[in-house]
Amino acid sequence: MNCPDAYHEELLRQSDEMDRKGIVTWAEWRDLRCAADQAYLRAIAGGDYH
């Protein structure tokens, strides 16, 4: 996955799948999605290049 959009979508898909299977609690699911969103925002802002 070379683009931030695809990577972000995959992280969200994985967190949703873990929630669906009961592997994570609601709070853990929320934290995973927040972390994915923060990483996405850093990536599109060029954070990987600083």
Side-chain angles (χ1 to χ4, degrees):
M1 279 178 236
N2 295 331
C3 89
D5 291 333
Y7 186 65
H8 182 248
E9 288 298 321
E10 180 61 18
L11 290 177
L12 296 180
R13 187 196 66 72
Q14 288 179 12
S15 66
D16 289 348
E17 183 67 13
M18 287 189 285
D19 180 51
R20 187 184 71 75
K21 290 184 176 184
I23 296 171
V24 294
T25 65
W26 180 85
E28 291 169 325
W29 172 83
R30 181 198 62 213
D31 293 344
L32 287 169
R33 290 190 62 104
C34 286
D37 290 344
Q38 290 170 359
Y40 176 70
L41 292 174
R42 278 192 311 274
I44 62 172
D48 293 341
Y49 300 105
H50 294 200

